[in-house]
């Protein structure tokens, strides 16, 4: 149920190239467009973890990058670091570290996190130096823009935007509603 039908906002479909937690067969796809340097995203981070634990196998969570470069100068590089980690099957540990250390996202700290999640550092250094994953981050931004994402975090439940501006309990209710359908 679109809580703001005048926006006519839907997310791009979830694809195999997305970073996902939970089974592909889950009845609900929860998509977040987020920014690792966004204070509101950092506030949502533990709540999303709680929701995922609560709903278990019934929800599949997808994280897409939407760095707000104008206000968060380290967000895009942090997104690239997450993608570099993802290429080594460590996206989620890096995702967690970035949100847990949100105030420390400069290049030196990002490399430290890469070391902490046990990435191949030579590969990480090369890929970050060449901005190998910048295009992927840009594609997420473009997808978010097409889906009318304007701020972070923006959540979609089964493709429909869920307004969480007054609290994440709206997200829980939207998931519960989809599970009842």
């Amino acid at each position: 149920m679109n809580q703001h039908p005048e926006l006519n906002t839907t997310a791009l479909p979830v694809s195999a190239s997305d970073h996902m937690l939970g089974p592909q067969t889950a009845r609900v796809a929860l998509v977040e467009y987020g920014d690792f340097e966004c204070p509101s995203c950092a506030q949502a981070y533990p709540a999303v973890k709680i929701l995922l634990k609560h709903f278990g196998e019934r929800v599949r969570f997808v994280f897409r990058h939407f760095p707000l470069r104008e206000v968060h100068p380290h967000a895009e590089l942090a997104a690239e670091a997450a993608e570099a980690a993802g290429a080594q099957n460590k996206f989620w540990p890096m995702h967690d570290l970035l949100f847990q250390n949100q105030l420390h996202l400069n290049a030196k700290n990002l490399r430290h996190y890469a070391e902490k999640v046990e990435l191949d550092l030579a590969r990480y250094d090369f890929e970050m130096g060449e901005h190998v994953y910048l295009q992927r981050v840009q594609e997420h931004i473009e997808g978010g823009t097409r889906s009318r994402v304007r701020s972070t975090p923006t959540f979609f439940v089964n493709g429909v935007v869920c307004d969480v501006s007054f609290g994440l309990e709206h997200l829980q209710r939207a998931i519960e509603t989809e599970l009842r359908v």
Side-chain angles (χ1 to χ4, degrees), residues 25-168:
T25 56
R27 291 194 40 216
V28 174
L30 173 61
V31 175
E32 175 184 358
Y33 280 90
D35 172 325
F36 290 115
E37 205 171 3
C38 165
S40 297
C41 293
Q43 287 180 328
Y45 164 74
V48 168
K49 282 197 160 304
I50 291 167
L51 282 175
L52 295 177
K53 186 174 182 178
H54 173 75
F55 289 111
E57 299 291 303
R58 298 177 293 166
V59 174
R60 168 182 62 202
F61 176 62
V62 171
F63 184 86
R64 293 178 180 159
H65 305 288
F66 201 79
L68 302 172
R69 296 168 291 203
E70 308 78 34
V71 290
H72 301 137
H74 301 103
E76 187 171 71
L77 194 61
E80 287 183 65
E83 287 301 315
Q88 296 186 41
N89 297 312
K90 301 277 179 97
F91 177 83
W92 293 108
M94 182 65 95
H95 166 275
D96 293 350
L97 269 177
L98 295 173
F99 275 126
Q100 292 161 7
N101 296 280
Q102 183 180 65
L103 300 177
H104 308 283
L105 298 179
N106 65 30
K108 181 180 176 186
N109 288 323
L110 294 175
R111 189 177 192 285
H112 172 70
Y113 307 144
E115 185 176 18
K116 201 167 182 176
V117 299
E118 300 179 349
L119 296 185
D120 172 338
L121 292 178
R123 178 178 172 185
Y124 173 86
D125 290 339
F126 172 78
E127 291 175 346
M128 291 298 286
E130 295 295 315
H131 296 281
V132 169
Y133 301 104
L134 182 57
Q135 181 176 342
R136 180 166 166 79
V137 172
Q138 298 289 339
E139 289 167 0
H140 281 201
I141 294 168
E142 290 166 12
T145 301
R146 284 196 308 276
S147 297
R148 295 191 177 178
V149 171
R150 291 188 182 91
S151 62
T152 56
T154 294
F155 292 97
F156 293 87
V157 176
N158 283 349
V160 179
V161 71
C162 180
D163 182 3
V164 295
S165 56
F166 295 107
L168 288 170

